[in-house]
Amino acid sequence: MMLPPQLHRLLDRLMPRTTTSRISLVLFLVLFSGSALMLVLLERATQNLLDRDAQTRIDAIADASLLAWRKQGLEAAVTILDGELQVPGPLVIHLATSDGTLLLGNLARWPDDVPIDGRYYRVTAMETEQGDPSPYMVTGRPMPQGYRLLVGRSLEAEVRLLMTLTTILTAALPLAALLAWLTSRMIARIITDRAHGIADVVSEVTGGNLHARVDLPPGPPADAFDSMGAAFNVMLARVESVLDELRAVTDGLAHDLRSPLTRLKARIDKLGLGTVVDAADLSAVSAEAESLLAMLDNSLEISRAEAGIGRDRFEEVDLSRMIADLADMYEPLAEDAGVALKLQPGLSRVTARAHRQLLGRALANLIDNALRYGAAGKVIELGVEASDSGARLLVADHGPGIPASQRHDAIKRFGRLDAARGRQGQRLQGAGLGLSLAAAVARLHGGSISLADNNPGLLVAIDLPVVPAAE
């Protein structure tokens, strides 16, 4: 049903403007309504209990007199009813013959609105022989030989009790309203404080303090705010990591581009001064240009992988076959370097949903790194393992390895650990992007990369989600 425009505007003006105030209002209405409903239900429950007590007493008298009549006759029933009348109390009895003549009782006239059907009726006012008009609960029962019996119990005490209870409950409603208001304000204040805590952290981060985090209690999240704060901290940690990596990339590019560009300019200047073009100089210029292009290409691939580009090209890939193909491709290079390239014994078929080209390139970078830095160990091992939860690709060498304290830095872009920053004598080394690209490709696949000691050497593992192999 559509509200009239005037009423709609009025409700808009009356509605609190802030979310916290609206939450407080809703909580107040819910708590107050709940308290009022509880008080009403308490009153109804008390009245029902009193009614059942009166009905039980009435049934006991009527049933006893009927049973005595059936067993011993009218005199026995009259004796029971007369005995009840001798006991002072809020009781009315009317036993009449078939023609309506009163035989026994303290009620002179049968009420007109009480039929003889065994059901219970609340009569607002009846006057007994003592002349005390008061509300009663009565029932009319048919008796043998056409007689009829009315038994009732006064509700005056019950009415007084209900009036007292109603007075108490009415007085309690303002207290319930006050408690509901205080509770709603307290809950709204708690929500406001938690929200302000997160907002303050946002302000600190905006002001440049990237280390600011939402304060959380120890242990697992206790409520939605803890879960939101934990997720917010994870996001801030990721933002800080990305910014740190961006600074590292900027510094790395500035440093790594300076040397090859300087060499490239020097060789070009040398060629410009000479009258004859030296083939060796041209080859050196070409090598420097290829190094720069490879560095930029790897940086671009890492950025694309970290942005999630390429997931639409996932397909089922035979990882064991990929490892075997890479071993065949790199075997001549390994022989030239005096290194034995070995496959894991008993290599079984393992499949995973993956980007074939990116994953192959990541593994190729790991093998390149092993050949470049671990050739002294004379052996490089490739393997793939399957488990119930995932697949693991392995590249291991027996070279000097990487200290545990430096492995985290080794995965960063331009995270080379040699002091020469990519120069070993005059031989051009990598730009420190191999492990970083492998880590980005692993994250693109929902996996991870880990570095471990191969005793001696380095063991690099890429963990990926796995899919069952096709039958």
Side-chain angles (χ1 to χ4, degrees):
M1 182 179 65
M2 296 295 294
L3 295 176
Q6 297 82 358
L7 180 58
H8 193 275
R9 286 193 295 269
L10 177 61
L11 292 177
D12 284 341
R13 285 195 295 267
L14 294 177
M15 181 64 66
R17 295 297 180 183
T18 64
T19 301
T20 304
S21 299
R22 293 179 181 180
I23 293 175
S24 179
L25 176 60
V26 171
L27 287 173
F28 169 75
L29 293 177
V30 170
L31 293 174
F32 179 73
S33 300
S35 300
L37 179 61
M38 182 182 66
L39 296 178
V40 171
L41 292 178
L42 177 62
E43 183 180 8
R44 292 292 179 86
T46 302
Q47 182 173 348
N48 291 336
L49 180 62
L50 295 175
D51 287 349
R52 284 196 299 271
D53 182 66
Q55 293 169 7
T56 300
R57 180 59 178 158
I58 291 171
D59 286 341
I61 297 173
D63 293 342
S65 60
L66 178 60
L67 181 61
W69 190 318
R70 288 175 177 173
K71 288 185 176 181
Q72 302 176 13
L74 174 61
E75 293 78 4
V78 169
T79 300
I80 291 176
L81 295 174
D82 186 58
E84 293 292 341
L85 289 174
Q86 300 305 318
V87 178
L91 191 68
V92 293
I93 294 177
H94 183 105
L95 177 62
T97 61
S98 57
D99 60 0
T101 303
L102 176 64
L103 180 63
L104 175 68
N106 59 351
L107 186 63
R109 188 176 62 86
W110 187 287
D112 296 333
D113 52 354
V114 179
I116 309 172
D117 56 3
R119 300 174 65 181
Y120 301 97
Y121 296 91
R122 298 177 69 91
V123 181
T124 56
M126 286 199 317
E127 187 171 340
T128 64
E129 291 179 349
Q130 290 77 17
D132 55 339
S134 61
Y136 279 82
M137 176 174 288
V138 299
T139 182
R141 300 282 186 91
M143 303 296 282
Q145 303 175 13
Y147 283 71
R148 56 184 181 177
L149 172 65
L150 183 142
V151 180
R153 183 177 177 85
S154 174
L155 300 177
E156 185 175 0
E158 286 84 346
V159 169
R160 287 198 299 269
L161 177 60
L162 287 175
M163 290 180 62
T164 302
L165 180 61
T166 301
T167 302
I168 295 174
L169 296 181
T170 302
L173 275 179
L175 178 60
L178 177 61
L179 291 176
W181 182 80
L182 292 176
T183 303
S184 65
R185 295 304 303 167
M186 181 179 64
I187 294 176
R189 182 58 182 268
I190 293 173
I191 295 174
T192 301
D193 290 343
R194 296 299 298 272
H196 282 170
I198 297 177
D200 291 341
V201 172
V202 173
S203 299
E204 287 189 53
V205 173
T206 304
N209 181 16
L210 298 180
H211 301 292
R213 296 293 185 269
V214 179
D215 291 331
L216 296 174
D223 54 27
F225 280 101
D226 287 346
S227 299
M228 182 171 62
F232 200 79
N233 286 344
V234 171
M235 180 191 69
L236 289 178
R238 179 59 180 159
V239 169
E240 184 178 10
S241 174
V242 169
L243 291 178
D244 288 343
E245 186 173 349
L246 180 60
R247 283 192 288 267
V249 168
T250 304
D251 294 343
L253 279 174
H255 190 289
D256 282 275
L257 289 177
R258 179 186 299 274
S259 296
L261 286 175
T262 301
R263 293 192 300 269
L264 186 61
K265 183 179 183 302
R267 293 184 185 277
I268 292 175
D269 290 342
K270 180 182 177 181
L271 290 175
L273 294 176
T275 57
V276 179
V277 177
D278 189 345
D281 287 334
L282 284 177
S283 178
V285 169
S286 177
E288 296 286 3
E290 287 181 1
S291 174
L292 291 173
L293 288 174
M295 185 188 308
L296 295 176
D297 188 37
N298 281 332
S299 294
L300 177 61
E301 287 292 352
I302 293 172
S303 298
R304 289 170 60 85
E306 290 179 340
I309 298 174
R311 289 195 178 97
D312 57 333
R313 297 179 60 185
F314 278 19
E315 58 182 322
E316 186 173 324
V317 177
D318 186 344
L319 301 180
S320 52
R321 183 62 185 171
M322 176 180 287
I323 285 288
D325 290 342
L326 287 170
D328 291 340
M329 183 175 67
Y330 274 91
E331 187 172 3
L333 294 176
E335 290 179 356
D336 292 343
V339 176
L341 199 60
K342 294 183 178 180
L343 282 175
Q344 179 183 16
L347 199 64
S348 59
R349 188 170 187 266
V350 180
T351 61
R353 285 195 60 79
H355 190 300
R356 186 184 300 272
Q357 288 75 23
L358 280 180
L359 187 58
R361 183 167 181 176
L363 290 171
N365 279 358
L366 295 181
I367 297 173
D368 278 333
N369 281 350
L371 287 172
R372 181 177 295 116
Y373 302 110
K378 301 301 182 182
V379 177
I380 294 176
E381 298 156 338
L382 308 178
V384 59
E385 300 173 350
S387 65
D388 293 338
S389 58
R392 168 168 283 197
L393 296 161
L394 302 170
V395 178
D397 64 63
H398 294 275
I402 300 177
S405 60
Q406 299 182 10
R407 290 170 188 165
H408 177 71
D409 293 334
I411 297 178
K412 296 180 179 179
R413 294 195 212 187
F414 305 100
R416 293 164 304 163
L417 305 178
D418 55 303
R421 293 287 297 169
R423 302 289 296 178
Q424 183 179 350
Q426 294 300 315
R427 180 169 174 252
L428 184 66
Q429 296 297 305
L433 295 173
L435 288 175
S436 181
L437 176 60
V441 171
R443 288 193 294 269
L444 175 68
H445 288 78
S448 61
I449 190 171
S450 59
L451 308 183
D453 194 351
N454 199 36
N455 297 316
L458 181 67
L459 173 64
V460 183
I462 295 179
D463 292 293
L464 300 176
V466 72
V467 297
E471 297 293 339

